[in-house]
Amino acid sequence: MTVATGLLLSGCCANNVCDCNDADADVVELRFASSFSNAVSNADLDTVVIQRYPVRLLTGAKPEIVTLIRTAARSRDSIRLNNNSPFPQISTTKLDSFRYVVQYYVTQPGRKPVLTTLLNINKIKLQGSLNGDGCCTCYVNSEKTVFARREGFLQDSVFDLKRDPRFLKISK
């Protein structure tokens, strides 16, 4: 191959924009239902607490806790669980190495708000690989499944977020 041919071939990818969106491939998006009779009120969603536990819980291990304080105008905004948000990523540990508990404060007039569990995410199953065409290589999920249980239910529900929309709709 001549230098000119090599330059021509290497330039074929220069005009292609590689927009992989790899950072969002594993995102689990939580949206709070607003149209159901059992929807959580906007006033209750101003403070959301998320606890993260390792899947393999060690004796005496305490959860990492993030408290999200939101304005009334943003109380219905979705919450994104990802490898690096709302918790920082620890080395190469991914989202599927943890269990999550989503809670909110129930407010009643004249009483102290009570922290109430809304959702337990007991397992997240992720599978993926790098796919490319020679110019662009991207990470693509082949499986993204969430096993979650709403408070008051005895069994987990299974959400296939690869096949269905990328978010879990949450109600009481």
Side-chain angles (χ1 to χ4, degrees):
M1 174 167 23
T2 66
V3 173
T5 306
L7 288 174
L8 285 174
L9 290 176
S10 66
C12 76
C13 294
N15 293 329
N16 292 344
V17 175
C18 192
D19 187 16
C20 292
N21 210 14
D22 288 1
D24 289 336
D26 294 337
V27 167
V28 173
E29 197 166 329
L30 307 175
R31 290 192 188 166
F32 298 94
S34 60
S35 60
F36 297 111
S37 61
N38 59 348
V40 180
S41 73
N42 284 353
D44 290 339
L45 289 176
D46 67 349
T47 304
V48 175
V49 176
I50 302 173
Q51 297 182 19
R52 177 171 87 166
Y53 298 85
V55 169
R56 294 191 181 112
L57 193 57
L58 303 172
T59 305
K62 294 185 179 185
E64 295 176 82
I65 300 172
V66 168
T67 302
L68 305 172
I69 299 174
R70 300 143 26 119
T71 64
R74 302 204 58 169
S75 65
R76 294 273 169 211
D77 286 359
S78 60
I79 295 174
R80 296 165 48 94
L81 297 179
N82 201 354
N83 295 319
N84 59 359
S85 72
F87 299 93
Q89 187 167 8
I90 301 168
S91 68
T92 59
T93 306
K94 294 182 76 171
L95 190 66
D96 57 352
S97 297
F98 300 96
R99 296 180 304 116
Y100 298 86
V101 178
V102 180
Q103 301 174 306
Y104 68 105
Y105 283 98
V106 175
T107 55
Q108 296 178 351
R111 298 182 131 183
K112 185 177 177 180
V114 177
L115 191 60
T116 304
T117 298
L118 188 58
L119 184 72
N120 289 290
I121 298 176
N122 295 312
K123 182 178 179 182
I124 299 172
K125 190 172 181 186
L126 299 172
Q127 287 286 324
S129 61
L130 295 173
N131 291 338
D133 62 7
C135 289
C136 188
T137 301
C138 300
Y139 175 78
V140 178
N141 282 99
S142 56
E143 180 179 10
K144 182 165 43 169
T145 308
V146 175
F147 300 83
R149 185 178 26 117
R150 289 193 340 235
E151 198 59 29
F153 286 73
L154 298 177
Q155 292 184 327
D156 284 355
S157 296
V158 179
F159 301 90
D160 182 348
L161 299 182
K162 179 64 181 162
R163 188 177 45 172
D164 294 333
R166 288 178 24 162
F167 64 88
L168 300 177
K169 193 169 231 172
I170 303 173
S171 60
K172 285 189 202 175

